[in-house]
Amino acid sequence: MVLQGGRARLLVALVACGCLTQNPAYDGPETGAPGTSTTAPTIGPSPSTSTSTSTSTTGTTGTTDATSGTGGDGESSTGTTTIALTTTGAPDTTTGAPLTAELSHYDPAACVEPLWCYGPPDIWSGLDGEVRGAECFESPVPPPYRVRRIDYALVAVRDQARLRFQVLSGDLQQVLYMSESLGLPISSGSLQIPAALQPVLAEPRFCVGFVGGDMTSTIGIGADASALPPDQQSYFGSDACDEPGLRDVNLFVPEIDPHGAWCLGAEVTAE
């Protein structure tokens, strides 16, 4: 919850089409909570031949937001984030680096609550307004590489909300790909980016994100609150909360709820 002006606020370009598929690898368990998916999907990503997991721990103090330039609050935040890294095919014979990788910072089973603005105390009472989010990664596939799929867990929708998925530069300043405006059911799934529109990146860091909702609707992408995200990884913004642009989730005081990495992932492949 963020307090401003004596009022409590709870936080939670190119247009092109893509192909949506359900993704069982990112479906959480049946919980019965409002807005969670209980339908077992039947279509998933391409099978992988090997899997590895890497864990990184980061502790920083007083960082500066990449978009708004807002400084930290002086409090340190330490989080442990597990990157699910699934490699496909033989590695590069010269560098040993993977040729394809699936990246995420979340446990699908923990994607049960939406990160949006809501009326306390009910986290399911979302407030109408545009919601924005971004999750950033360091690609284990060396540049140049393509982003060819975005994975997500959409856990709540109000009214006739629509959303668009994005691929952004690592500094969040450039939108490298934006999907068409989509009206999606509450579900975990994948957006397959058409081959001709897959952005080719020359830097290791990149971000995937979304923009959804309007003055009469809103959407709630899930956030994994089981571990705090490192600084400069997960970003949030919302018109309903008077939060323009995108700001590091760790810079909100009091912290946003749920406080965790976005349930957003990506598949990258060598160019």
Side-chain angles (χ1 to χ4, degrees), residues 99-126:
L99 297 179
T100 301
E102 296 175 337
L103 305 174
S104 67
H105 293 136
Y106 64 93
D107 176 1
C111 297
V112 295
E113 290 186 332
L115 181 47
W116 60 0
C117 294
Y118 63 92
D122 183 6
I123 197 171
W124 297 103
S125 59

Side-chain angles (χ1 to χ4, degrees), residues 14 26 36 64-65 78 85 139 156 159 197 232 234 236 262 269:
L14 297 173
Y26 292 90
T36 57
T64 300
D65 178 79
T78 301
L85 169 59
S139 172
D159 300 317
L197 300 176
Q232 301 182 40
S234 306
F236 174 85
W262 286 107
T269 186

